[in-house]
Amino acid sequence: MEALPQTLLFGILRSGLYALSALGLAISLGVIGVVNFAHGEFVMLGAYLGFWLYVVLSGPLGLGPEVSPLVIVLGIPLSAIVLFALGRGIFRFTLRPLLGRRELDQMLLTFGLAILVQNLAVIVLSPQALDANLGWRFELLPVGPVSVTYARLAAFAVSMALVVGVYALLARSQLGKQMRAVAQNRLGAQVVGINVDRVYEIAFGLSLALAGAAGVMYVFQTQVSPFLGLATILKAFSIVVLAGLGNLFGVLWASLLLGIAEQLVSQYVPGGAALRDGLFFLIIFAVLVVRPGGLRRAHG
Amino acid sequence: MRRELAAWAAFLVLVAALPLSGIGSDRYLMLLANVMLMFMALALSWDVVARTGQLSLAHGAFFGLGAYTVALGHKYAALHPLLGLPLAALAGALVALALGIVTLRLRGIYFAIATLAFAEVLRTVALQLPDLTGGPVGISMPPLFDGDRVASYYLAIAIFVAALALSLGVRHSRAHYAVTAIRANETVAAVMGVNVVRTKVLTFTASAVVATLAGAFYMPFITHTDPHDAFDISRSVAALVFPIFGGLYTTAGPVLGTVVLRAFEEYLRVTPPWKEGYQVVYGAVIVIAVLFIPRGVLGLVQRYAPRAGALLGRRPRGSVPGTPSGPRS
Amino acid sequence: MRRITALLVAAGLVAGACGGGTGPSAQATSAAPTTAAKPIKLGAILPLTGPSAATGQDMKDGYELAREQINAAGGVKGAPVEVVYEDDKNDPATAVGSFEKLVNSEKVEVLMGGLASTITAALIEPAKKAQVPMAWTGAAATTVEKGFEGQDWFFHYHPWEYQNAESGLAFLKSTPYKKFAIAHEDGLFGKGGADLNKAALPQQGQEVVATEAFKTGSTDFTALLNRLKASGAEAFLVVPFAGDMIPMLTQMREIGWQPKLIYASPPSFPPNFGQSPVAEGVAGLTLWTTDIPAEASKKFVADFQKKYSKPPVSYWSALAYTNLVTVADALKKSGTGNKAAWIKAMEETNYASPIGPTLKFAPSQTIKHQGFTRLVSFQWQGGKQQIVFPAELATAKLK
């Protein structure tokens, strides 16, 4: 059982990144009611932005691979800003016209966007996967009985900070309260005088900004390729479903749960590493069947 | 209704006559025609489930199930593919019944995710049982009708007819009112006396059986598949894109959508300068179609050529376009 | 409606036929010397879109380089060579469609190309029916080889998986390590490689103490790496895809596992892998690297760099290059339209290929015309790929 502490630790650390990418999805789903199939593609775009930042910093600016912390510090705001603007634009021109229509249409639209963005990336950026040789990625820090890379810790810390930050925004700020109000009851929110349209637009922008931030963190974890979106979307969906539609605060717990469960299954179930995704879905499936609303009741 | 049936009969005659036009000897075009019919059946089957307001992402998995059932039937019982078809249908029905009952209480995105999860589980099973299914190596069987594309074409027509029968049958029976009511509001439908459970489960099962048959056709046609190919998510995607593009909740819509998009896709695949960018265009087409032609191509036809639209099976007065979007109110 | 639909079906089929008819000739690219002779049409089926697009494009680059050079030197007896590329989208049904198109509509002389085993497997039946000469670069699965048994018009370039394994096993035998752990991606490629090693290692006195499967692209391998570490293995054999390499190596460090030998055989390594700190000491198996000490190889790399301003992405470009050159050479001897003569000419192939060894076709376990049979083992030392096995091609010793 000596692997247990490490398994748990890695599960917790991984859940940070999952929470960040799922939160964006949860916001667009919870506040606006839009199923954004293209969410993973925006994570991918954020990853590319982070990668280019790394290339520019370490190459022409000659700062070498030690730029890792800089990539995070600069990359996240950069990615968030760019994707926020992109999100608002996409919302205005494609989603807003669809808001009164059937869910199927919205899902199809975002799905079409996903195909469009992914394949544009393949053409414009090349399908070759890229690795950022960030020195920091490979340096180890001993944590009790195990060692973890700085990259893994940073991904967790930064993701958590962002998630907590967004939660604070939702709980405390005017905008956050408006978003929660709209998530609970659109008509009621309008009656109270909230500019629902503006809230939607900002929420969608925020959703994409979070995706972009998550993307920058991925630069430390894995190769950057136009197909990154596929890998992230299914897990994000599962977390959101598990937490329950509209339950933004539940995303954190759901991510932790799934992150740890995933690691436990990989470690202790025979053949777990390969079965992991299938088992993942089986668990989701089972939860849905038993509790169709997700783990927690939706609340504001 | 009689006019609509007559129209479809005429269409079938045209389709059946296709090989006689000289295309029959062009193996490439015949391949396209075979695959086109297969996708038409898949699209029609998906549309039927959509009529109850549900987005199924499992149809690709049923397709794969059909393919593997026929392949395994051949491997273990030397079953001829024609006998494999009813076996596949049975397997599809049983699995769909179970899945349908289990997911009864799920709606919207939850149902979609559950069906997606199911698809992934099926794929994992096929992959992780190499002694039974061949695992990642995949599974092979001899070609259908020894590679005669015209003979297989007629089998594909038969499966297409089954799909047509399902689609038209639901439309022109009391089931139509049941599914439409369920789609609008399940609770109210139940209050109105619709047997929601039975309707949902039966439509899902029947739809899945057709999807399974499409897969059962695919296996001997392509002679080789593996879990990655058989349970490819892109088939579930195709199953939904074609009806949505063509026009949901109709019979002509899925057929039209399949023909236009598949032909377009193939055209783009081979034509410069799109050759390497056709998927981008495909994505853009979907986005534009959803934004500007929400009722699908069929909607366009009905708007600008109403007499042609009338022949397509008109929608009942005051029909419900679909469930309201989002979780609010 | 059926009128409209029937019209659309017809339109669609006609569009497909037109696309097939006019398209390819339009994009069989330029650079043909002015000659009145009718161009010689060859076909190539590649994955130009989809997950293998990068490799497919690399292959196309190799073909184009070869085509340019052949035509600049006068083509095939004065006639320019034209290659019709078909994108199989990594989908079996599309590949079969491409096959039909190239063989029946374009009526190509020889069919080239090929990457994935599954795609090739779907082509077995149509190929047997058409009996068109095939000079095929791809597929390594033994099941595919069995499918082509007795089909003498089929010439295969890439080593089969058991030949890959043999090359690897020979290298492993030359090392002093006795206990092996294996990790493999759970698809056809990974499992095939792993199974072969599992069966053969004990026969050469080496033990497999643990085996783990993983899903490629999952980025998190710590659980299975922990189990492998606990097995007490001295050497680690891994059969992944490119994207798994760096996460896996990084995580090995995280859990503190440093086996004495890490032997990886992905189809290709990530670009710039050698510069990564985790690459040091990693050994691998490959058909070819840009550093192979062979004249033809150096020339190929230089020409490639000159034409495309970048180095070859993987060995597939060199393989494609070899493919076209040998097919054209055989056509020079046999002329067009004469299958038996072409087969005979191909059998006489004796080509100093950029891959390194001289290419000659000889029988393999099941088929008659197998080209390359051996892979080389290399190790990253100081950022450079050094060939460490077999000894006659080695540029450095294993560390």
Side-chain angles (χ1 to χ4, degrees):
Chain A
M1 273 294 167
E2 58 161 64
L4 188 60
Q6 182 194 75
T7 306
L8 290 174
L9 181 65
F10 276 28
I12 294 172
L13 292 180
R14 253 201 116 75
S15 70
L17 198 49
Y18 289 166
L20 187 61
S21 61
L23 187 58
L25 193 63
I27 288 178
S28 82
L29 202 49
V31 175
I32 314 172
V34 167
V35 177
N36 188 2
F37 275 112
H39 186 80
E41 306 311 319
F42 298 115
V43 171
M44 182 263 290
L45 287 180
Y48 269 97
L49 279 171
F51 185 82
W52 285 327
L53 191 62
Y54 150 75
V55 168
V56 163
L57 287 177
S58 63
L61 292 184
L63 293 170
E66 300 317 311
V67 296
S68 313
L70 260 182
V71 171
I72 295 185
V73 167
L74 292 179
I76 290 190
L78 172 70
S79 178
I81 291 171
V82 168
L83 277 145
F84 184 78
L86 186 64
R88 289 182 66 171
I90 289 179
F91 181 80
R92 250 189 240 172
F93 293 111
T94 64
L95 277 169
R96 194 199 291 161
L98 286 187
L99 279 181
R101 301 206 339 226
R102 60 195 174 207
E103 208 176 6
L104 234 49
D105 276 346
Q106 293 160 16
M107 287 198 258
L108 190 61
L109 175 84
T110 56
F111 180 75
L113 272 177
I115 297 184
L116 183 59
V117 170
Q118 186 191 93
N119 286 283
L120 261 179
V122 169
I123 293 178
V124 170
L125 300 173
S126 122
Q128 185 67 303
L130 305 163
D131 262 299
N133 271 326
L134 297 158
W136 212 38
R137 266 177 89 174
F138 314 109
E139 279 170 38
L140 298 174
L141 180 72
V143 174
V146 297
S147 301
V148 288
T149 55
Y150 278 108
R152 205 186 275 267
L153 279 173
F156 175 75
V158 172
S159 302
M160 275 310 169
L162 285 172
V163 168
V164 168
V166 171
Y167 280 163
L169 180 83
L170 287 172
R172 299 286 158 79
S173 76
Q174 178 81 323
L175 177 66
K177 288 186 195 154
Q178 289 183 342
M179 282 206 269
R180 283 157 56 206
V182 168
Q184 265 193 317
N185 189 321
R186 186 179 88 180
L187 193 57
Q190 278 180 315
V191 165
V192 173
I194 294 178
N195 183 347
V196 169
D197 198 47
R198 180 174 160 268
V199 169
Y200 277 173
E201 200 178 299
I202 294 182
F204 197 71
L206 179 62
S207 160
L208 256 62
L210 287 172
V216 171
M217 304 312 313
Y218 269 103
V219 175
F220 292 91
Q221 305 289 317
T222 184
Q223 289 192 315
V224 171
S225 89
F227 305 108
L228 191 59
L230 288 172
T232 57
I233 192 87
L234 289 177
K235 290 226 171 100
F237 265 129
S238 310
I239 290 173
V240 168
V241 161
L242 203 58
L245 253 193
N247 184 357
L248 300 172
F249 295 104
V251 169
L252 190 56
W253 302 114
S255 309
L256 268 168
L257 199 69
L258 281 175
I260 295 176
E262 185 189 45
Q263 287 294 96
L264 285 173
V265 162
S266 304
Q267 183 67 36
Y268 296 112
V269 173
L275 294 179
R276 185 172 57 202
D277 280 9
L279 277 166
F280 209 119
F281 279 112
L282 203 54
I283 293 172
I284 304 293
F285 192 74
V287 170
L288 281 180
V289 166
V290 168
R291 285 283 288 263
L295 280 186
R296 286 158 180 264
R297 297 264 170 265
H299 59 72
Chain B
M1 135 115 161
R2 210 169 291 165
R3 267 174 104 188
E4 200 186 344
L5 281 180
W8 280 109
F11 175 68
L12 281 174
V13 167
L14 266 173
V15 165
L18 195 71
L20 304 172
S21 69
I23 290 182
S25 54
D26 185 327
R27 288 181 65 80
Y28 168 62
L29 289 181
M30 282 310 296
L31 177 111
L32 286 185
N34 270 278
V35 172
M36 184 86 84
L37 281 170
M38 185 184 85
F39 272 112
M40 280 198 253
L42 187 63
L44 280 168
S45 75
W46 186 89
D47 177 75
V48 168
V49 171
R51 294 180 198 182
T52 60
Q54 300 283 51
L55 167 62
S56 162
L57 293 173
H59 275 61
F62 282 107
F63 184 93
L65 180 67
Y68 264 92
T69 307
V70 170
L72 291 173
H74 175 84
K75 180 172 168 189
Y76 291 109
L79 217 54
H80 188 276
L82 285 179
L83 287 177
L85 280 174
L87 181 65
L90 185 65
L94 291 173
V95 173
L97 258 167
L99 184 63
I101 291 173
V102 150
T103 56
L104 220 39
R105 282 182 294 167
L106 302 178
R107 296 223 24 113
I109 178 84
Y110 292 117
F111 180 81
I113 296 276
T115 52
L116 188 63
F118 161 75
E120 181 64 14
V121 168
L122 260 196
R123 192 188 69 84
T124 308
V125 165
L127 197 60
Q128 300 297 336
L129 292 178
D131 298 327
L132 180 68
T133 62
V137 174
I139 194 165
S140 295
M141 68 185 284
L144 184 62
F145 303 136
D146 203 36
D148 183 345
R149 295 261 159 78
V150 176
S152 60
Y153 181 70
Y154 287 107
L155 181 61
I157 290 180
I159 293 175
F160 173 63
V161 167
L164 261 184
L166 173 68
S167 182
L168 288 170
V170 169
R171 175 69 183 76
H172 292 289
S173 69
R174 288 173 63 182
H176 175 68
Y177 299 106
V179 299
T180 312
I182 292 174
R183 185 170 80 239
N185 188 319
E186 216 174 284
T187 319
V188 172
V191 164
M192 276 168 48
V194 172
N195 187 337
V196 172
V197 169
R198 199 178 72 170
T199 309
K200 275 170 76 167
V201 170
L202 282 182
T203 47
F204 186 73
T205 305
S207 162
V209 165
V210 172
T212 311
L213 282 174
F217 167 80
Y218 177 74
M219 182 66 220
F221 185 73
I222 202 77
T223 72
H224 176 90
T225 190
D226 63 13
H228 175 77
D229 172 50
F231 296 102
D232 196 353
I233 185 101
S234 74
R235 275 202 205 90
S236 281
V237 164
L240 66 92
V241 165
F242 299 148
I244 291 177
F245 178 78
L248 273 175
Y249 319 133
T250 64
T251 302
V255 172
L256 208 61
T258 309
V259 170
V260 171
L261 284 181
R262 285 285 305 176
F264 191 45
E265 191 182 321
E266 182 64 18
Y267 176 73
L268 290 178
R269 185 183 75 91
V270 298
T271 308
W274 305 110
K275 219 165 120 73
E276 279 151 55
Y278 69 92
Q279 277 179 327
V280 176
V281 177
Y282 203 36
V285 161
I286 296 175
V287 171
I288 291 169
V290 170
L291 281 175
F292 301 114
I293 47 171
R295 290 180 61 191
V297 170
L298 214 59
L300 273 182
V301 170
Q302 280 178 330
R303 182 129 63 106
Y304 296 111
R307 250 177 310 178
L311 288 169
L312 293 153
R314 82 193 77 201
R315 294 167 183 259
R317 210 76 53 79
S319 72
V320 180
T323 51
S325 60
R328 54 214 73 283
S329 43
Chain C
M1 163 297 239
R2 334 110 262 22
R3 219 166 304 161
I4 297 178
T5 310
L7 254 167
L8 277 159
V9 170
L13 292 171
V14 168
C18 282
T22 59
S25 338
Q27 100 265 92
T29 33
S30 54
T34 46
T35 164
K38 202 157 135 323
I40 297 195
K41 251 199 235 183
L42 303 172
I45 301 183
L46 324 159
L48 289 171
T49 54
S52 312
T55 314
Q57 186 58 46
D58 198 32
M59 285 171 74
K60 189 171 172 196
D61 289 344
Y63 282 125
E64 281 297 291
L65 181 63
R67 196 181 63 83
E68 225 176 57
Q69 291 180 351
I70 292 171
N71 287 342
V76 170
K77 295 212 257 214
V81 168
E82 197 184 291
V83 180
V84 181
Y85 300 100
E86 278 281 326
D87 177 13
D88 65 24
K89 294 173 7 185
N90 214 39
D91 169 51
T94 312
V96 175
S98 299
F99 177 91
E100 302 291 13
K101 199 140 163 295
L102 289 173
V103 166
N104 293 308
S105 314
E106 296 286 339
K107 305 219 190 295
V108 296
E109 286 292 329
V110 177
L111 189 60
M112 308 182 297
L115 179 61
S117 295
T118 309
I119 306 291
T120 312
L123 291 177
I124 294 176
E125 287 301 323
K128 276 166 48 174
K129 209 173 171 72
Q131 300 265 316
V132 154
M134 264 173 89
W136 204 245
T137 51
T142 320
T143 46
V144 171
E145 193 198 12
K146 294 215 175 77
F148 281 106
E149 184 171 7
Q151 310 301 329
D152 294 341
W153 38 263
F154 179 72
F155 285 78
H156 188 245
Y157 286 67
H158 195 289
W160 295 108
E161 62 187 352
Y162 59 85
Q163 290 168 327
N164 292 352
E166 273 161 22
S167 312
L169 287 165
F171 163 69
L172 292 176
K173 191 160 175 201
S174 75
T175 67
Y177 309 116
K178 294 294 174 213
K179 290 203 167 121
F180 284 81
I182 304 183
H184 66 93
E185 68 92 23
D186 64 6
L188 174 58
F189 171 71
K191 190 149 191 317
D195 285 346
L196 281 164
N197 280 299
K198 261 168 57 177
L201 277 170
Q203 288 170 13
Q204 49 186 53
Q206 291 165 314
E207 201 194 333
V208 175
V209 294
T211 314
E212 289 286 337
F214 60 84
K215 188 167 172 194
T216 182
S218 54
T219 74
D220 188 23
F221 308 106
T222 46
L224 71 92
L225 288 171
N226 268 319
R227 285 196 292 271
L228 293 176
K229 179 180 172 191
S231 72
E234 317 167 84
F236 178 39
L237 236 72
V238 55
V239 193
F241 283 113
D244 308 316
M245 287 304 314
I246 294 196
M248 195 170 285
L249 291 165
T250 314
Q251 286 157 28
M252 282 168 67
R253 291 187 175 201
E254 277 189 296
I255 64 166
W257 187 37
Q258 269 178 304
K260 301 206 185 100
L261 173 68
I262 302 172
Y263 194 48
S265 53
S268 61
F269 283 88
N272 301 320
F273 177 75
Q275 271 102 65
S276 167
V278 293
E280 181 65 26
V282 171
L285 194 60
T286 183
L287 185 59
W288 175 82
T289 72
T290 50
D291 294 319
I292 290 253
E295 276 313 306
S297 171
K298 296 192 207 244
K299 181 169 185 301
F300 169 75
V301 174
D303 292 344
F304 193 98
Q305 179 79 40
K306 190 153 153 233
K307 181 171 160 75
Y308 297 109
S309 313
K310 61 169 182 167
V313 171
S314 67
Y315 65 74
W316 289 94
S317 42
L319 198 56
Y321 180 94
T322 305
N323 189 203
L324 182 51
V325 167
T326 46
V327 165
D329 280 348
L331 280 172
K332 281 181 199 161
K333 285 193 231 169
S334 70
T336 60
N338 191 339
K339 187 164 90 172
W342 179 80
I343 293 177
K344 190 157 171 301
M346 283 290 280
E347 283 172 349
E348 289 162 11
T349 302
N350 193 339
Y351 173 58
S353 110
I355 298 282
T358 304
L359 177 61
K360 282 192 238 209
F361 290 101
S364 70
Q365 234 171 48
T366 314
I367 62 166
K368 197 165 164 202
H369 299 123
Q370 175 60 34
F372 295 108
T373 57
R374 198 171 59 169
L375 304 185
V376 296
S377 296
F378 62 86
Q379 184 181 44
W380 261 288
Q381 296 174 359
K384 216 168 168 284
Q385 277 173 313
Q386 302 284 10
I387 313 290
V388 293
F389 187 88
E392 58 266 26
L393 290 172
T395 55
K397 287 190 77 83
L398 181 70
K399 285 207 190 139

